Amino acid sequence: MSAVSKWLKRLLLLFLAAVLAAGASFYVLYFRRTALPPASPHAIVAPSIASLPGLAACWMETGKTFSNFSFGSTAGSILVRHPAGDLLIDTGNSSHFNDEIRGYPFRTWLKLRFLAGQLTPKIPLPELLGRVKEDPQRLRWVILSHAHLDHAGGLMDLPRVPVLLTQRELEFANDPEVQAKGFAIAAHVLKFPVPGKPTLRFDPQPYETFDESADLYKDGSVVVVPLGGHTPGSVGIFVNLSPNRRFFYVGDAVDDERGFQERVGKSLVLRDSDNDEALANQVVSRLSDLHRKLPGLAILPAHGRSAYKKFFPSGPLSCVSGQ
Ligand SMILES: [Zn+2]
């Protein structure tokens, strides 16, 4: 064998080893999941739901990855149009994401840049809202599933609007340690209410399998429930377009449909940002239980693109109503 072909062979082997290593780490980071025990039994309290004329939900996608594959992820916002004033659920990344993470130590920066950073908007949220004829100035509220930077960052692009957050989540977001890890960004937190002045409180009113709830418009159309685990004050949001067309937006309580369909824990990528891993796993089991009890309810994980595609069959920037 000539020296050239020997080198070529070595190069080929090296390339194959690199591909294998990349595949294995991709699998460990994104796909390997552990089965979880079932949730402890819990009563279900079915709400009465009316069809409200004028109520609609629109998919505002500001970022996506691997969108041609079933495991592709998404980020952004859901706009809820309501006769009493519109609501945005989560806001995705800030369009200034790269500037915002610049001051972090290299390891933190690298993690933020190559995980959440993949979902940075190409088109800022207000411009997307304009495309569905929504004036961002007229929004009544923004509700955040939790305070992490890839859910709150879009506030930096929006005009000042009241942000609905619980006291627990405000305390978490203002914790210097949480900010030092890059989970919450100081500039985003300045857009939140100050701790001590929470804008979201729960009533001892059971709702589905939850013991507490907050009915935002007092008409049963948008009902928020506590979902702490991923962060202490994480919430889930039921949007009831009609008795048969409902979704439950669960933020990062599960990373994708597999979580509640197969009752498996999170991928390593998302687990890394769980504040309380045991509690976060219990929430996955509870969502799996809810899915079994209410198979017609669409559960939307914030980043689970395949779930969005089912609820919004016409894709991003489309709206769905109860009619
Ligand atoms: Zn997230």
Side-chain angles (χ1 to χ4, degrees):
M1 197 183 284
S2 76
V4 175
S5 66
K6 212 169 168 180
W7 271 108
L8 268 175
K9 204 173 154 192
R10 273 186 195 162
L11 220 62
L12 188 70
L13 277 171
L14 212 65
F15 175 74
L16 278 175
V19 168
L20 268 171
S25 41
F26 201 70
Y27 170 78
V28 168
L29 278 173
Y30 288 92
F31 295 107
R32 199 179 56 176
R33 314 282 280 269
T34 25
L36 296 173
S40 41
H42 198 285
I44 186 157
V45 178
S48 75
I49 293 164
S51 295
L52 185 71
L55 190 66
C58 311
W59 180 11
M60 314 305 301
E61 180 174 64
T62 56
K64 60 180 176 181
T65 56
F66 301 108
S67 54
N68 293 326
F69 299 90
S70 64
F71 57 85
S73 62
T74 183
S77 190
I78 292 180
L79 167 69
V80 179
R81 294 194 203 271
H82 191 289
D86 297 346
L87 165 78
L88 269 188
I89 301 175
D90 275 351
T91 63
N93 271 359
S94 162
S95 64
H96 315 286
F97 184 88
N98 290 334
D99 298 330
E100 289 173 355
I101 63 165
R102 194 157 284 157
Y104 280 94
F106 181 71
R107 271 185 61 176
T108 312
W109 175 87
L110 197 71
K111 197 167 83 176
L112 293 171
R113 177 67 191 81
F114 289 98
L115 293 175
Q118 293 179 43
L119 295 164
T120 296
K122 295 200 172 48
I123 301 167
L125 184 55
E127 203 183 315
L128 286 182
L129 289 169
R131 292 187 188 180
V132 295
K133 309 236 173 334
E134 178 75 16
D135 178 358
Q137 301 278 357
R138 296 185 49 126
L139 288 168
R140 178 166 175 179
W141 296 305
V142 169
I143 187 165
L144 299 178
S145 63
H146 60 296
H148 280 168
L149 78 169
D150 56 324
H151 299 256
L155 290 174
M156 303 305 287
D157 296 320
L158 288 167
R160 195 95 197 166
V161 51
V163 182
L164 303 181
L165 281 166
T166 63
Q167 176 62 16
R168 291 189 94 172
E169 195 65 1
L170 289 174
E171 281 166 14
F172 171 76
N174 281 275
D175 181 344
E177 230 177 277
V178 170
Q179 294 191 9
K181 285 181 187 155
F183 289 149
I185 302 264
H188 302 174
V189 176
L190 289 175
K191 304 271 181 186
F192 299 170
V194 290
K197 292 217 160 82
T199 38
L200 182 64
R201 286 183 185 86
F202 296 109
D203 302 315
Q205 178 69 44
Y207 190 89
E208 302 293 12
T209 52
F210 299 89
D211 299 324
E212 294 182 302
S213 61
D215 182 348
L216 287 194
Y217 293 92
K218 309 286 177 213
D219 61 3
S221 59
V222 181
V223 178
V224 188
V225 294
L227 220 50
H230 180 60
T231 65
S234 280
V235 298
I237 302 133
F238 286 89
V239 176
N240 303 312
L241 300 175
S242 77
N244 304 319
R245 197 170 285 175
R246 315 171 62 198
F247 69 83
F248 184 31
Y249 182 92
V250 298
D252 287 353
V254 284
D255 34 6
D256 54 24
E257 291 180 295
R258 272 185 73 195
F260 59 84
Q261 284 169 347
E262 301 170 26
R263 204 195 327 122
V264 288
K266 293 179 186 176
S267 60
L268 194 61
V269 167
L270 205 63
R271 207 162 62 215
D272 175 66
S273 62
D274 276 346
N275 181 70
D276 181 334
E277 198 177 325
L279 199 57
N281 280 339
Q282 281 176 31
V283 169
V284 174
S285 295
R286 289 187 64 184
L287 291 177
S288 174
D289 174 58
L290 184 69
H291 174 60
R292 200 173 44 80
K293 287 174 171 149
L294 297 174
L297 173 71
I299 296 181
L300 298 188
H303 303 296
R305 200 165 196 274
S306 57
Y308 284 70
K309 286 204 291 194
K310 285 178 199 157
F311 194 81
F312 298 98
S314 302
L317 289 181
S318 69
C319 302
V320 168
S321 72
Q323 275 73 49

